[in-house]
Amino acid sequence: MIDQTTLAYVNLYAVLGALADLTSLDPRAQALLKGKKPTRLGIAVKGGPAATLVFEEQRCRLEEGVGQCHIKLAFSSPQRFNGMIAGTVTPIPRKGWTRIFFLTRTFTRLTDRLTQLLRAKPEDLEDPDFLALSTHLMLGVVGEAVAQIANHDPIGMFSASNIVDGQIALAIHDGPAVTVECRDHRLTCRKEPAETPRAVMEFESCRLAHQLFDGQVNAVACIGSAQIRMRGMISMLDNLNRILDRVGLYLA
């Protein structure tokens, strides 16, 4: 059901990539980086993705490749990397032992905060600010996961082969938005509103979007009740929805 190489791309670009949004939106995450010297954490997966998380000025960004990293985590297979994300594998740095405390303390605390927001407890979601932040992060994770699954998962690639070029907007009414763009049947995600979307999927509220991402509500029922509004090229949205079904499996 799940391709481990695809899962590695989802884990690196969608899940760990969400640290960029976390550090730009969450004061608690920014405080964890305050006073820390710039650090580049490279992650290389044999047969899979390779990218560097760059931490500087209380922010994080993701760059392709691992050529300029201070700390390097190398994994012999996608399964090993996915095990680290699941908490069943302890990584051993290939480079950067002098900065090991950043990895074991700061980075771990950042990922713990990310997990708290992405796998929120029901009582935490009663706080409107927590709900808004959690949903904003989840929307970005889902958008990036769509792109990675469309480009690497065999079933996702089939759906992507039927998507024409153009932008698809995933948006929350009066809230955050991401753009999924198709070029030659490969998808990319930008965490900003679409400029010229050919298709739009808009969620009525943060709470509805969060419930949908958590699998608590039925998407078809929400479309029927107009809680999810779709317009534009329906064939793009139809194939996007097929990929979204795969997202639930990979992010479970």
Side-chain angles (χ1 to χ4, degrees):
M1 293 289 290
I2 291 178
D3 174 67
Q4 289 293 314
T5 300
T6 304
L7 180 58
Y9 279 93
V10 170
N11 279 332
L12 182 51
Y13 289 99
V15 178
L16 291 184
L19 289 170
D21 287 334
L22 177 70
T23 55
S24 69
L25 296 169
D26 181 32
R28 286 179 57 177
Q30 293 166 9
L32 292 172
L33 291 172
K34 187 174 182 180
K36 302 293 190 298
K37 61 183 175 182
T39 300
R40 301 172 64 90
L41 172 59
I43 297 174
V45 182
K46 186 177 181 179
T52 297
L53 290 160
V54 182
F55 299 92
E56 57 187 6
E57 298 177 356
Q58 300 181 59
R59 294 289 190 274
C60 172
R61 69 177 188 277
L62 189 68
E63 293 182 354
E64 293 288 341
V66 294
Q68 301 292 324
C69 59
H70 297 118
I71 306 169
K72 183 177 181 181
L73 300 179
F75 298 88
S76 59
S77 68
Q79 289 88 338
R80 294 286 296 174
F81 172 60
N82 296 333
M84 184 195 79
I85 300 299
T88 60
V89 172
T90 300
I92 299 175
R94 295 284 183 86
K95 175 184 177 181
W97 281 99
T98 58
R99 303 201 186 199
I100 193 67
F101 287 124
F102 177 87
L103 185 64
T104 59
R105 294 180 183 177
T106 305
F107 180 70
T108 298
R109 289 168 182 169
L110 284 169
T111 55
D112 285 347
R113 175 61 173 164
L114 182 63
T115 300
Q116 180 188 25
L117 287 157
L118 292 180
R119 298 191 180 277
K121 297 177 181 178
E123 56 268 27
D124 290 333
L125 295 173
E126 295 305 313
D127 179 349
D129 292 335
F130 188 100
L131 172 65
L133 177 57
S134 175
T135 308
H136 194 151
L137 291 171
M138 289 184 73
L139 180 63
V141 170
V142 168
E144 186 60 51
V146 163
Q148 299 304 324
I149 291 169
N151 296 339
H152 300 286
D153 175 76
I155 297 174
M157 291 171 69
F158 177 78
S159 295
S161 72
N162 293 297
I163 299 178
V164 299
D165 285 1
Q167 297 178 353
I168 303 173
L170 293 178
I172 297 171
H173 182 68
D174 290 335
V178 300
T179 301
V180 176
E181 185 159 8
C182 183
R183 286 288 178 268
D184 296 324
H185 308 297
R186 286 189 64 83
L187 272 57
T188 56
C189 175
R190 297 200 312 276
K191 296 174 183 179
E192 58 187 25
E195 297 174 353
T196 55
R198 298 189 70 178
V200 177
M201 179 182 292
E202 184 181 64
F203 307 102
E204 181 181 64
S205 66
C206 279
R207 188 164 298 279
L208 174 71
H210 208 290
Q211 290 172 336
L212 183 68
F213 298 152
D214 277 344
Q216 297 176 9
V217 296
N218 180 273
V220 174
C222 291
I223 292 169
S225 63
Q227 291 175 293
I228 298 176
R229 293 179 285 276
M230 300 194 303
R231 60 183 184 273
M233 186 169 287
I234 298 302
S235 65
M236 296 180 80
L237 294 172
D238 183 48
N239 284 289
L240 178 73
N241 276 323
R242 297 175 194 272
I243 299 171
L244 281 170
D245 287 341
R246 302 289 291 164
V247 169
L249 292 174
Y250 279 92
L251 294 180

